[in-house]
Amino acid sequence: MNGADTLVGLAILVGLVGVFVPMLPGSLLIGAAIVVWGWHTGGTTAWSIVALCLVVLVVGAIVKYVIPGRRLRDAGVPTGTLLAGGVLGIAGLFVVPVVGFVLGFLLGVFVMQWRLLGRDRAWPATWQAVKAIGLGMLIEFSCAACAALIWVIGVVVI
């Protein structure tokens, strides 16, 4: 393991933290670091490891939206509510750094559901949104950790 591998490893660790911190691009940072490692290392084995890691990260990026989104739809949370949550989440990033996206998303979901269903029925939808955010983070972290593990194995093998 050389200095470049250490820097890539640190970038991967920051990416793993970035899965839980909305301002850091978790999986994107991990993917970029592994591509840089593949370019620096060179060879068929390194690029095969890069390709495998990127496939795992892309699958994770897709699944982290599909499964929680399906659960929210099954719970009766309409797409408009999710869009409002997303818009308020983005605004929340600027108002409250680090946790603003999550707070804004939840506030957006609650307000929209309150408007549609009333206060008492808005809380279950908001709780479903909380669980969906957690599930999405868990899915992304699992895939990011798998990609990191594949990279570590690749560093050891090469």
Side-chain angles (χ1 to χ4, degrees):
M1 187 167 190
N2 56 32
D5 293 342
T6 303
L7 288 176
V8 169
L10 288 173
I12 290 172
L13 285 175
V14 170
L16 287 171
V17 170
V19 169
F20 300 106
V21 179
M23 303 247 335
L24 293 174
S27 293
L28 186 63
L29 181 59
I30 293 169
I34 292 173
V35 167
V36 167
W37 172 81
W39 177 76
H40 182 266
T41 304
T44 307
T45 306
W47 283 109
S48 298
I49 291 166
V50 169
L52 183 59
C53 289
L54 291 178
V55 166
V56 169
L57 291 172
V58 167
V59 167
I62 292 169
V63 172
K64 85 172 187 175
Y65 291 111
V66 171
I67 292 177
R70 185 174 297 146
R71 286 188 173 191
L72 285 172
R73 278 192 309 276
D74 292 345
V77 180
T79 305
T81 297
L82 298 178
L83 290 174
V87 168
L88 277 177
I90 291 170
L93 276 175
F94 299 105
V95 176
V96 183
V98 182
V99 296
F101 180 80
V102 174
L103 293 175
F105 179 79
L106 294 175
L107 179 65
V109 169
F110 178 74
V111 168
M112 287 298 291
Q113 288 299 96
W114 188 352
R115 198 182 112 234
L116 293 172
L117 304 172
R119 181 175 160 219
D120 293 336
R121 293 180 53 203
W123 283 114
T126 306
W127 179 243
Q128 288 297 325
V130 169
K131 292 193 307 189
I133 289 172
L135 180 61
M137 286 181 173
L138 182 63
I139 290 168
E140 183 180 6
F141 182 78
S142 298
C143 291
C146 284
L149 181 62
I150 292 167
W151 174 78
V152 167
I153 292 169
V155 168
V156 171
V157 167
I158 294 177

